[in-house]
Amino acid sequence: MSRSTHKKEYEIAIIGQPNVGKSTLFNILTGRRAHVANWPGVTVEVHEGETEFDGYKIKLVDLPGIYGFSTLSLEERIARNYILSGRPDAVIVLVDSLNPERTMYLAIQALEMTGKVVIGFTKSDAAHAHGIHINYDLISKRLGVPVIPVSAATLRGIRSLLRAAIDVARGKAGRRKPLRIDYGELEPHVSSIESILRGFEERLEYPIRWMALRLLEGDDDLYKYVKGVCGEAVAEEIQRIREEVRRIFHRDPAELLARKRFEYLRKILGDAIVRLAIKRGRFEGFTRLFYRPFIGPILSIAILLGMFMIAFTINTGFPLNILLDSLGMHGAASAVEEYSIGGLMEKLFSWISGWIINTFGESWLTDLIANGIISGVGSVLIFLPLIMIVSLFLAILEDSGIAPRMAVSLHGPLSKIGVSGHAIFPMTMSLGCNVPAILATRAIPSRSERLRLLITLPFIPCQARLVVILAFASSLVSGYGALLVVLGYAVAFLAFALVNKVLYMLEKRKTGRKEPELVLELPPIHRPLGRVIWWHVWDSSKHFLKKAGTIIFALSIILWFMINVSPSLALTDNPAESIAAGFAHFLSPIVYPIGISPGKAWIVAFALLVGFIAKEAVIETLTILTGTASAQQALALLGLTVPQLAALTVFVVLYVPCIATLAVIYSESRSIKHTLATIALMLSIAYVAMLITYGLSLIL
Amino acid sequence: MSTPRQITLEQMPSGSRGRVVEIIGRGGWIYRLYQMGLTPGVTVDVVMNIGRGPIIIRVMGVEIAIGRGIARRIIVEPINP
């Protein structure tokens, strides 16, 4: 590719192994105009950001965190294809100063593909504290590319890194040709493949030497490519050479090549890195606790429970209000509830609604705005603080390095239901919202485990469902209310565990697969960067606000019309004459078995139908349809008994995730069958559980 | 000289050190181990192995948690301090 030195715009890629601090640095370089991700797997999408430097426009492309360039995972494939495409004018490879020997592996693999590389040593401020001294110039001289120490904490080296990348892009620095590592006794075999490929040089898009190495390593993607371009015979010949290597050395060629690369790295880094003292982290004792039996899982669960208790209390007053109530402190309990963020926001929204109607008079339009849109969007916005608090805690756990330890501690208990410790991240997120939880399953290495989680994660009640449970609970005397909340969560986790277990057993019988496996890097525990934490919080809030502003907004309007317009398209004050009622009468038989009379069943049925779109709307629908002001009044008017409420709670918790979650399940599994199966499974389990709950609570 | 004793990583006690001799098996996870620096010839320190749950090892300065099933397929030669 010809490179113009007059070009003023460059595309620069950033790659690095997980935990080297890549996302943080990318955000600093771009001035925070892209998503940062530290929950494993969130950076699967490629992010782009723009910046200007020295009069050059730079497009920065943040590739997913990867360990190498095999085609093991989608991330590796994306990164590799992008670098080989020739699009990036320079590639910044980030290396962890605290673990250069390991994390440089990616850098030399990149160098084998292209010479247009800059190596950035991250966390350079911490290296000294750990007694690690690195001779950057020596490494740079040996590899022939710029090597720059940087720090996200002190912002040292950021400008030098960009300058070096521009120099490489302009052809003023970097290597002209990819790095050539001497693979010793493997060389004859590598050159045999090279000479075969050379016969097709003009038709092959990638560097010959690199292709030969990757083919020897057993790269299936590349093998298929070569088979397509050069024909069956050539592919077979390459396969034969690979088998020959395996026979001669009694080793997997992939292993031999990996060892050679690490040997080469030792030569490059050996005298360029001096370790004065190996200092163990301050938190060593604390982290060890996570690995202990009993203590580890208990500690992890305590952290998660504590986190949600605090978040829920700040937001809704629950469970502190119920606790105070049961201690006889009723005044304090209602104060906690009233002055929780949710309580205050609720007041604010009802004040705005009242103000609009008072100021502009009662008309269908003010009713639509006040009772349709504001109460609809408001009932969802109430969750924003909760989402912010939960994502704050999750970000702290992840960025500090505690999260992967929790995964290790819970791997044992979780493998009993067929999932690995990796699953704890999506499970925890599910308690907040199912949508990011399902995206987080991307970090799970086992595909079958991931598919099982896509089906089962929606059983874990998100905050929207919590609100429904809380509203139901509020209509009961306090003792029963608390019990109802416990029932909701217990049933949900039971369903999650049982369905996982059953799916796992079925799979085991079919494929004979053994226990779930775990391979997880445990980065050193450190104090999280405030900036990074804030990015997390802001990103999840933004996502949520977008949802409230679009889906919920539209839904509120549709809902208002369905409730206020009769089938003959005339405005009506009586919901029982509305389109919604006409529609819901078809569905009402589903709640007959739990003894709800036909006159009221349609209201419940319609609320459940709306809950299919967004769970938080169940309560809103109930209050609007009964013409009451609160869930408490609505439920009183419907005259639901305790067993009926218990049965409905169980159904709401289990029946089907919201539309947004279903959309992600579809986009992640790319299978309509899978998505429909999830719906069918959840509906039938929810229905059966509802009937069982009703039956049992009648007996009790 | 007798050949050095070879055991699996799963059998290595906490605080012990060994050299990886071989990793048995094929498939995706083996590449991941290579990429993480766990190749034959490398020295591993067992940070924690309590007989159940994942084994915590240190390879090239990085702590890694490894499930027992995979640990059973990593053949190690113990190094006596």
PDB file of all heavy atoms in Angstrom, chain A residues 527-542:
ATOM      1  N   ARG A 527      -6.512   0.288  43.912  1.00  0.00           N
ATOM      2  CA  ARG A 527      -7.559   1.280  44.100  1.00  0.00           C
ATOM      3  C   ARG A 527      -8.083   1.721  42.738  1.00  0.00           C
ATOM      4  O   ARG A 527      -7.302   2.070  41.850  1.00  0.00           O
ATOM      5  CB  ARG A 527      -6.976   2.482  44.844  1.00  0.00           C
ATOM      6  CG  ARG A 527      -8.031   3.421  45.382  1.00  0.00           C
ATOM      7  CD  ARG A 527      -7.623   3.989  46.732  1.00  0.00           C
ATOM      8  NE  ARG A 527      -6.267   4.532  46.684  1.00  0.00           N
ATOM      9  CZ  ARG A 527      -6.024   5.842  46.565  1.00  0.00           C
ATOM     10  NH1 ARG A 527      -7.008   6.685  46.473  1.00  0.00           N
ATOM     11  NH2 ARG A 527      -4.784   6.279  46.549  1.00  0.00           N
ATOM     12  N   PRO A 528      -9.398   1.693  42.549  1.00  0.00           N
ATOM     13  CA  PRO A 528      -9.934   2.047  41.233  1.00  0.00           C
ATOM     14  C   PRO A 528      -9.777   3.534  40.926  1.00  0.00           C
ATOM     15  O   PRO A 528      -9.729   4.357  41.844  1.00  0.00           O
ATOM     16  CB  PRO A 528     -11.411   1.670  41.323  1.00  0.00           C
ATOM     17  CG  PRO A 528     -11.710   1.436  42.751  1.00  0.00           C
ATOM     18  CD  PRO A 528     -10.439   1.291  43.509  1.00  0.00           C
ATOM     19  N   LEU A 529      -9.684   3.843  39.654  1.00  0.00           N
ATOM     20  CA  LEU A 529      -9.581   5.245  39.230  1.00  0.00           C
ATOM     21  C   LEU A 529     -10.972   5.864  39.197  1.00  0.00           C
ATOM     22  O   LEU A 529     -11.882   5.336  38.561  1.00  0.00           O
ATOM     23  CB  LEU A 529      -8.999   5.313  37.813  1.00  0.00           C
ATOM     24  CG  LEU A 529      -7.491   5.190  37.654  1.00  0.00           C
ATOM     25  CD1 LEU A 529      -7.129   5.231  36.177  1.00  0.00           C
ATOM     26  CD2 LEU A 529      -6.769   6.295  38.399  1.00  0.00           C
ATOM     27  N   GLY A 530     -11.122   6.990  39.885  1.00  0.00           N
ATOM     28  CA  GLY A 530     -12.420   7.647  39.948  1.00  0.00           C
ATOM     29  C   GLY A 530     -12.992   7.916  38.574  1.00  0.00           C
ATOM     30  O   GLY A 530     -14.174   7.710  38.309  1.00  0.00           O
ATOM     31  N   ARG A 531     -12.119   8.327  37.670  1.00  0.00           N
ATOM     32  CA  ARG A 531     -12.552   8.665  36.324  1.00  0.00           C
ATOM     33  C   ARG A 531     -13.207   7.465  35.633  1.00  0.00           C
ATOM     34  O   ARG A 531     -14.264   7.576  35.028  1.00  0.00           O
ATOM     35  CB  ARG A 531     -11.303   9.080  35.542  1.00  0.00           C
ATOM     36  CG  ARG A 531     -11.561   9.968  34.387  1.00  0.00           C
ATOM     37  CD  ARG A 531     -10.270  10.513  33.789  1.00  0.00           C
ATOM     38  NE  ARG A 531      -9.087   9.753  34.175  1.00  0.00           N
ATOM     39  CZ  ARG A 531      -7.913  10.322  34.412  1.00  0.00           C
ATOM     40  NH1 ARG A 531      -7.774  11.606  34.347  1.00  0.00           N
ATOM     41  NH2 ARG A 531      -6.858   9.583  34.725  1.00  0.00           N
ATOM     42  N   VAL A 532     -12.538   6.328  35.762  1.00  0.00           N
ATOM     43  CA  VAL A 532     -13.036   5.123  35.094  1.00  0.00           C
ATOM     44  C   VAL A 532     -14.385   4.716  35.673  1.00  0.00           C
ATOM     45  O   VAL A 532     -15.308   4.336  34.944  1.00  0.00           O
ATOM     46  CB  VAL A 532     -12.020   3.980  35.256  1.00  0.00           C
ATOM     47  CG1 VAL A 532     -12.552   2.695  34.640  1.00  0.00           C
ATOM     48  CG2 VAL A 532     -10.693   4.359  34.626  1.00  0.00           C
ATOM     49  N   ILE A 533     -14.515   4.825  36.994  1.00  0.00           N
ATOM     50  CA  ILE A 533     -15.763   4.466  37.655  1.00  0.00           C
ATOM     51  C   ILE A 533     -16.896   5.344  37.117  1.00  0.00           C
ATOM     52  O   ILE A 533     -17.978   4.865  36.779  1.00  0.00           O
ATOM     53  CB  ILE A 533     -15.652   4.671  39.186  1.00  0.00           C
ATOM     54  CG1 ILE A 533     -14.503   3.855  39.747  1.00  0.00           C
ATOM     55  CG2 ILE A 533     -16.966   4.341  39.881  1.00  0.00           C
ATOM     56  CD1 ILE A 533     -14.676   2.387  39.664  1.00  0.00           C
ATOM     57  N   TRP A 534     -16.622   6.628  37.020  1.00  0.00           N
ATOM     58  CA  TRP A 534     -17.649   7.546  36.549  1.00  0.00           C
ATOM     59  C   TRP A 534     -18.081   7.210  35.125  1.00  0.00           C
ATOM     60  O   TRP A 534     -19.254   7.251  34.781  1.00  0.00           O
ATOM     61  CB  TRP A 534     -17.161   8.992  36.657  1.00  0.00           C
ATOM     62  CG  TRP A 534     -18.066   9.926  35.898  1.00  0.00           C
ATOM     63  CD1 TRP A 534     -17.735  10.677  34.818  1.00  0.00           C
ATOM     64  CD2 TRP A 534     -19.460  10.168  36.156  1.00  0.00           C
ATOM     65  NE1 TRP A 534     -18.823  11.372  34.386  1.00  0.00           N
ATOM     66  CE2 TRP A 534     -19.899  11.079  35.185  1.00  0.00           C
ATOM     67  CE3 TRP A 534     -20.369   9.691  37.097  1.00  0.00           C
ATOM     68  CZ2 TRP A 534     -21.211  11.530  35.129  1.00  0.00           C
ATOM     69  CZ3 TRP A 534     -21.669  10.139  37.036  1.00  0.00           C
ATOM     70  CH2 TRP A 534     -22.091  11.060  36.064  1.00  0.00           C
ATOM     71  N   TRP A 535     -17.127   6.842  34.281  1.00  0.00           N
ATOM     72  CA  TRP A 535     -17.468   6.463  32.905  1.00  0.00           C
ATOM     73  C   TRP A 535     -18.485   5.341  32.885  1.00  0.00           C
ATOM     74  O   TRP A 535     -19.450   5.345  32.140  1.00  0.00           O
ATOM     75  CB  TRP A 535     -16.211   6.035  32.133  1.00  0.00           C
ATOM     76  CG  TRP A 535     -15.263   7.157  31.901  1.00  0.00           C
ATOM     77  CD1 TRP A 535     -15.534   8.496  31.949  1.00  0.00           C
ATOM     78  CD2 TRP A 535     -13.872   7.051  31.590  1.00  0.00           C
ATOM     79  NE1 TRP A 535     -14.401   9.208  31.691  1.00  0.00           N
ATOM     80  CE2 TRP A 535     -13.371   8.360  31.467  1.00  0.00           C
ATOM     81  CE3 TRP A 535     -13.006   5.974  31.407  1.00  0.00           C
ATOM     82  CZ2 TRP A 535     -12.040   8.622  31.160  1.00  0.00           C
ATOM     83  CZ3 TRP A 535     -11.691   6.225  31.101  1.00  0.00           C
ATOM     84  CH2 TRP A 535     -11.219   7.547  30.986  1.00  0.00           C
ATOM     85  N   HIS A 536     -18.249   4.337  33.727  1.00  0.00           N
ATOM     86  CA  HIS A 536     -19.168   3.203  33.813  1.00  0.00           C
ATOM     87  C   HIS A 536     -20.566   3.666  34.173  1.00  0.00           C
ATOM     88  O   HIS A 536     -21.551   3.284  33.558  1.00  0.00           O
ATOM     89  CB  HIS A 536     -18.715   2.236  34.914  1.00  0.00           C
ATOM     90  CG  HIS A 536     -17.739   1.239  34.454  1.00  0.00           C
ATOM     91  ND1 HIS A 536     -18.112   0.150  33.720  1.00  0.00           N
ATOM     92  CD2 HIS A 536     -16.407   1.149  34.622  1.00  0.00           C
ATOM     93  CE1 HIS A 536     -17.037  -0.560  33.453  1.00  0.00           C
ATOM     94  NE2 HIS A 536     -15.991   0.027  33.985  1.00  0.00           N
ATOM     95  N   VAL A 537     -20.609   4.476  35.246  1.00  0.00           N
ATOM     96  CA  VAL A 537     -21.899   4.922  35.765  1.00  0.00           C
ATOM     97  C   VAL A 537     -22.632   5.720  34.689  1.00  0.00           C
ATOM     98  O   VAL A 537     -23.807   5.502  34.413  1.00  0.00           O
ATOM     99  CB  VAL A 537     -21.688   5.779  37.030  1.00  0.00           C
ATOM    100  CG1 VAL A 537     -23.010   6.391  37.477  1.00  0.00           C
ATOM    101  CG2 VAL A 537     -21.083   4.936  38.141  1.00  0.00           C
ATOM    102  N   TRP A 538     -21.911   6.596  34.037  1.00  0.00           N
ATOM    103  CA  TRP A 538     -22.534   7.440  33.034  1.00  0.00           C
ATOM    104  C   TRP A 538     -23.027   6.629  31.845  1.00  0.00           C
ATOM    105  O   TRP A 538     -24.100   6.875  31.314  1.00  0.00           O
ATOM    106  CB  TRP A 538     -21.565   8.546  32.609  1.00  0.00           C
ATOM    107  CG  TRP A 538     -22.144   9.407  31.520  1.00  0.00           C
ATOM    108  CD1 TRP A 538     -21.591   9.673  30.312  1.00  0.00           C
ATOM    109  CD2 TRP A 538     -23.397  10.102  31.549  1.00  0.00           C
ATOM    110  NE1 TRP A 538     -22.415  10.484  29.588  1.00  0.00           N
ATOM    111  CE2 TRP A 538     -23.538  10.758  30.321  1.00  0.00           C
ATOM    112  CE3 TRP A 538     -24.417  10.208  32.487  1.00  0.00           C
ATOM    113  CZ2 TRP A 538     -24.648  11.525  29.995  1.00  0.00           C
ATOM    114  CZ3 TRP A 538     -25.534  10.968  32.171  1.00  0.00           C
ATOM    115  CH2 TRP A 538     -25.633  11.632  30.931  1.00  0.00           C
ATOM    116  N   ASP A 539     -22.231   5.633  31.451  1.00  0.00           N
ATOM    117  CA  ASP A 539     -22.637   4.823  30.295  1.00  0.00           C
ATOM    118  C   ASP A 539     -23.925   4.067  30.554  1.00  0.00           C
ATOM    119  O   ASP A 539     -24.818   4.043  29.711  1.00  0.00           O
ATOM    120  CB  ASP A 539     -21.525   3.821  29.938  1.00  0.00           C
ATOM    121  CG  ASP A 539     -20.426   4.497  29.146  1.00  0.00           C
ATOM    122  OD1 ASP A 539     -20.757   5.388  28.355  1.00  0.00           O
ATOM    123  OD2 ASP A 539     -19.258   4.146  29.338  1.00  0.00           O
ATOM    124  N   SER A 540     -24.037   3.471  31.746  1.00  0.00           N
ATOM    125  CA  SER A 540     -25.249   2.703  31.993  1.00  0.00           C
ATOM    126  C   SER A 540     -26.443   3.641  32.160  1.00  0.00           C
ATOM    127  O   SER A 540     -27.556   3.302  31.773  1.00  0.00           O
ATOM    128  CB  SER A 540     -25.092   1.781  33.205  1.00  0.00           C
ATOM    129  OG  SER A 540     -24.630   2.504  34.296  1.00  0.00           O
ATOM    130  N   SER A 541     -26.210   4.832  32.730  1.00  0.00           N
ATOM    131  CA  SER A 541     -27.312   5.788  32.872  1.00  0.00           C
ATOM    132  C   SER A 541     -27.797   6.239  31.500  1.00  0.00           C
ATOM    133  O   SER A 541     -28.997   6.331  31.244  1.00  0.00           O
ATOM    134  CB  SER A 541     -26.872   7.008  33.666  1.00  0.00           C
ATOM    135  OG  SER A 541     -26.190   6.621  34.816  1.00  0.00           O
ATOM    136  N   LYS A 542     -26.830   6.498  30.635  1.00  0.00           N
ATOM    137  CA  LYS A 542     -27.167   6.984  29.299  1.00  0.00           C
ATOM    138  C   LYS A 542     -28.037   5.973  28.565  1.00  0.00           C
ATOM    139  O   LYS A 542     -29.059   6.304  27.977  1.00  0.00           O
ATOM    140  CB  LYS A 542     -25.864   7.212  28.523  1.00  0.00           C
ATOM    141  CG  LYS A 542     -25.916   8.367  27.573  1.00  0.00           C
ATOM    142  CD  LYS A 542     -24.530   8.767  27.082  1.00  0.00           C
ATOM    143  CE  LYS A 542     -23.765   7.619  26.489  1.00  0.00           C
ATOM    144  NZ  LYS A 542     -22.372   7.967  26.154  1.00  0.00           N
TER     145      LYS A 542
END
